């Protein structure tokens, strides 16, 4: 295939279209689209999810079918891989990106599209608890203002359409949760971040027309974005700078040799003279033959409604995305053509589409009890992973310390993922030691953690649920 003839920016369209999916199933994750009014039907031939169906058809890339050499290989075409590849190419480093499916087909193109500060579930208080004040201040700035501004800089540099909006809300489902939100805001102000405003119940209702909340906070640092458009936009920038992408090229082995690191796929081998970046969720430890896994996989679910009668402003007047503070958080935001995106849950075993649609619809109608007419047009599942301490696990290893890996996102971190991609490049080029700062965070290894996830996650949720019922004023979010 002539890639140059396919080379184009991702282009957003006004509303979702029913298009053939670029991938019918991604590692077991499924996609659901309403076929007819009042008829719920799962059809794997429909566009992968709302994000893909609001983008014009885009370029594809051929699989690796030969042996070649380059300076750096990036494994994974999600946000981390795409950001790393882009920044490497901008630095003049000969880089090849390998993706086992298609660009953005995993968690990066299937998430909620919310931009929030912090390092996965590590927020300002956690950083102050675990790090000296100056390091906590630096890490918070890295994962908040720097992460958000980097996305805006890239969008401006390559003139990308990303449906970028600013600000987000955290809504308290119990009055006691306001104490925790105030403490979190205080920690951020202590670290030099004054972009959080505490809202009382009446103030919050100016943003959310729901009667289930007791107040919240408005965070001007966060926001929302079309995450698949961002992912494809990063790849566009990478290609613009001479990068090379191979889709449908799953890496099956990595070996270090005197000539460089050899990356094997089923039909080709790339020798990387300067190193490898592993930007995938679930294959890192297997590829490196490591037994110190620090993450558990879990599954999450997202849906998008039909156009809201009267417009989404009747529910979210200011258009700000929302997280709540319940154990299993709800998150939602307005998207194109007066629709709402709504997501939540984290399970150890993947739910089917019927259970998911029922769950998300019930939560929608709980939040907006005045609107029994709200229906889902799209729903899908996604796979992510989490660490015990809630922070992303960043590593630098290999015989020559030139193998980089990052995992443990806990379902958070669109902006931070992009920022860490730049940090990896800066480490390779010797520009700064931001990535070393990330690798200094300690993590606990989980013996058989990935195999035990179907049992461990439900057990943890049950115990947390009991704790939440015993002390309902204590904020515990999963």
């Amino acid at each position: 295939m002539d890639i140059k003839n396919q080379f184009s920016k991702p282009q957003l369209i006004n509303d979702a279209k029913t298009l053939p999916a670029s991938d019918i199933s991604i590692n077991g994750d499924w996609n659901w689209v309403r076929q007819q009014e009042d008829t719920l039907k799962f059809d794997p031939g429909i566009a992968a999810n709302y994000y893909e169906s609001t983008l014009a058809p885009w370029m594809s890339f051929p699989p690796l079918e030969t042996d070649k050499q380059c300076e750096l290989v990036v494994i994974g075409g999600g946000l981390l891989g795409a950001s790393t590849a882009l920044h490497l190419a901008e630095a003049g480093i000969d880089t090849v990106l390998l993706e086992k499916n298609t660009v953005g087909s995993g968690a990066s193109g299937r998430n909620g599209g919310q931009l929030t500060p912090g390092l996965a579930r590590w927020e300002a208080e956690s950083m102050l608890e675990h790090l000296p004040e100056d390091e906590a201040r630096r890490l918070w700035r890295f994962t908040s203002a720097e992460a958000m501004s980097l996305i805006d800089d890239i969008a401006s540099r390559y003139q990308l359409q990303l449906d970028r909006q600013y600000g987000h809300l955290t809504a308290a489902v119990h009055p006691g949760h306001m104490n925790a939100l105030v403490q979190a805001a205080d920690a951020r102000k202590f670290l030099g971040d004054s972009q959080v405003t505490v809202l009382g119940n009446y103030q919050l209702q100016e943003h959310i027309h729901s009667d289930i909340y007791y107040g919240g906070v408005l965070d001007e640092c966060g926001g929302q974005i079309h995450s698949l458009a961002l992912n494809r936009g990063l790849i566009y920038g990478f290609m613009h700078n001479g990068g090379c992408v191979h889709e449908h090229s799953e890496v099956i082995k990595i070996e270090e040799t005197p000539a460089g690191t050899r990356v094997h796929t089923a039909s080709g081998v790339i020798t990387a003279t300067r190193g490898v970046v592993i930007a995938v969720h679930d294959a890192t430890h297997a590829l490196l033959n490591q037994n110190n896994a620090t993450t558990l996989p879990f599954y999450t679910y997202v849906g998008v409604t039909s156009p809201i009668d009267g417009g989404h402003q009747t529910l979210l007047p200011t258009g700000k995305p929302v997280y709540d503070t319940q154990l299993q958080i709800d998150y939602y935001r307005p998207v194109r053509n007066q629709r709402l995106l709504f997501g939540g849950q984290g399970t150890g075993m993947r739910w089917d589409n019927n259970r998911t649609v029922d769950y998300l619809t019930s939560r929608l109608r709980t939040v907006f009890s005045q609107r029994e007419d709200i229906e889902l047009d799209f729903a899908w599942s996604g796979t992510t992973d989490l660490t015990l301490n809630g922070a992303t696990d960043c590593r630098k290893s290999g015989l020559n310390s030139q193998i980089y890996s990052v995992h443990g996102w806990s379902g958070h971190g669109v902006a931070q993922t992009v920022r860490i991609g730049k940090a990896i490049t800066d480490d390779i080029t010797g520009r700064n030691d931001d990535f070393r700062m990330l690798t200094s965070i300690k993590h606990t290894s989980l013996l058989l953690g990935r195999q035990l996830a179907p049992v461990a996650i439900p057990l943890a949720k049950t115990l947390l649920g009991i704790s939440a019922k015993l002390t309902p004023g204590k904020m515990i979010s999963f």
Side-chain angles (χ1 to χ4, degrees):
M1 179 178 292
D2 185 351
I3 295 177
K4 290 184 179 180
N5 291 336
Q6 300 287 323
F7 187 40
S8 62
K9 293 180 186 178
Q11 295 185 349
L12 290 163
I13 58 179
N14 183 54
D15 191 23
K17 305 296 182 183
T18 301
L19 301 170
S22 60
D23 283 90
I24 291 175
S25 179
I26 306 299
N27 295 332
D29 280 324
W30 50 263
N31 316 292
W32 173 92
V33 178
R34 181 185 298 278
Q35 294 298 288
Q36 299 174 5
E37 187 175 354
D38 299 325
T39 301
L40 306 184
K41 178 183 177 185
F42 172 58
D43 185 342
I46 298 299
N49 57 49
Y50 172 81
Y51 292 126
E52 186 172 7
S53 38
T54 47
L55 284 166
W58 198 57
M59 54 187 170
S60 59
F61 304 93
L64 177 68
E65 294 180 334
T66 185
D67 294 354
K68 62 172 61 176
Q69 180 173 305
C70 64
E71 291 181 87
L72 263 295
V73 170
V74 175
I75 303 171
L79 288 167
L80 177 63
S83 174
T84 306
L86 166 63
H87 288 101
L88 288 169
E90 286 181 334
I93 297 173
D94 180 23
T95 304
V96 175
L97 184 146
L98 301 174
E99 164 55 46
K100 69 177 180 180
N101 294 304
T102 59
V103 167
S105 57
S108 293
R110 304 173 74 84
N111 60 66
Q114 307 249 47
L115 300 178
T116 57
L119 188 65
R121 286 180 291 119
W122 253 36
E123 298 189 9
E125 288 178 284
S126 298
M127 294 178 188
L128 283 167
E129 180 182 348
H130 291 91
L131 301 171
E133 180 184 330
D134 58 338
E135 293 183 25
R137 193 179 299 272
R138 177 186 175 194
L139 182 58
W140 181 255
R141 185 171 60 250
F142 177 98
T143 62
S144 57
E146 290 181 16
M148 305 301 169
S149 64
L150 177 61
I151 287 179
D152 292 337
D153 290 345
I154 292 170
S156 176
R157 190 153 65 244
Y158 295 101
Q159 299 183 355
L160 301 175
Q161 296 179 334
L162 303 176
D163 273 355
R164 173 79 159 96
Q165 302 294 328
Y166 296 87
H168 83 268
L169 298 153
T170 302
V173 300
H174 187 280
H177 294 176
M178 289 300 297
N179 294 330
L181 293 179
V182 170
Q183 289 175 7
D186 181 57
R188 287 179 59 169
K189 289 180 180 179
F190 183 76
L191 293 178
D193 180 352
S194 59
Q195 298 189 79
V196 181
T197 302
V198 177
L199 304 176
N201 183 24
Y202 294 111
Q203 291 174 300
L204 185 66
Q205 288 184 21
E206 296 175 2
H207 300 276
I208 311 171
H209 285 174
S210 174
D211 59 4
I212 70 169
Y213 302 123
Y214 295 86
V217 295
L218 171 62
D219 182 357
E220 297 292 355
C221 179
Q224 58 180 302
I225 202 163
H226 193 298
S227 50
L228 184 57
L230 172 60
N231 200 155
R232 291 181 178 180
L234 296 170
I235 293 294
Y236 168 81
F238 175 53
M239 299 295 295
H240 184 81
N241 285 278
C244 176
V245 177
H246 293 288
E247 294 179 320
H248 303 291
S249 300
E250 182 174 5
V251 174
I252 56 178
K253 184 173 70 171
I254 296 174
E255 60 176 339
E256 295 181 274
T257 73
T261 306
R262 291 170 60 84
V263 179
H264 297 252
T265 71
S267 55
V269 178
I270 301 180
T271 301
T273 59
R274 294 184 64 176
V276 173
V277 178
I278 304 175
V280 296
H281 274 298
D282 58 352
T284 303
H285 306 294
L287 288 173
L288 298 178
N289 294 315
Q290 294 177 338
N291 296 318
N292 59 337
T294 58
T295 61
L296 289 171
F298 72 101
Y299 308 102
T300 64
Y301 311 94
V302 190
V304 172
T305 69
S306 305
I308 302 296
D309 187 21
H312 60 64
Q313 293 88 351
T314 61
L315 304 178
L316 297 172
T318 59
K320 298 286 191 294
V322 181
Y323 278 104
D324 73 11
T325 63
Q326 66 176 329
L327 174 62
Q328 282 287 183
I329 65 171
D330 292 330
Y331 58 86
Y332 47 93
R333 64 189 184 90
V335 291
R336 290 192 165 215
N337 200 32
Q338 305 302 326
R339 300 177 186 266
L340 288 187
L341 179 148
F342 196 100
Q345 269 292 350
T347 61
M349 297 184 68
R350 189 183 285 109
W351 283 357
D352 63 23
N353 60 293
N354 288 326
R355 185 175 183 182
T356 301
V357 170
D358 288 345
Y359 173 79
L360 293 177
T361 301
S362 71
R363 290 305 309 163
L364 264 165
R365 293 177 180 175
T366 297
V367 175
F368 301 111
S369 58
Q370 72 274 32
R371 297 298 297 269
E372 289 291 323
D373 60 318
I374 298 177
E375 299 282 357
L376 291 178
D377 274 357
F378 295 82
W380 61 93
S381 67
T383 307
T384 186
D385 55 3
L386 59 86
T387 59
L388 285 184
N389 71 357
T392 302
D393 185 353
C394 300
R395 302 186 186 189
K396 182 178 178 181
S397 59
L399 295 177
N400 298 310
S401 295
Q402 289 294 292
I403 297 179
Y404 296 80
S405 63
V406 182
H407 42 270
W409 284 111
S410 300
H412 300 260
V414 170
Q416 296 77 10
T417 310
V418 177
R419 181 64 183 89
I420 290 176
K422 182 178 185 299
I424 292 172
T425 297
D426 290 343
D427 193 76
I428 290 168
T429 60
R431 182 176 180 180
N432 58 51
D433 64 350
D434 285 344
F435 193 75
R436 184 197 59 76
M437 170 180 65
L438 301 174
T439 63
S440 66
I441 298 171
K442 304 301 180 184
H443 292 271
T444 302
S445 296
L446 301 171
L447 181 64
L448 299 177
R450 303 196 72 81
Q451 292 81 357
L452 294 177
V455 175
I457 289 179
L459 177 61
K461 288 169 62 176
T462 298
L463 295 174
L464 290 172
I466 293 172
S467 176
K469 289 182 178 180
L470 292 175
T471 55
K474 182 178 179 181
M475 195 172 79
I476 306 172
S477 296
F478 179 76

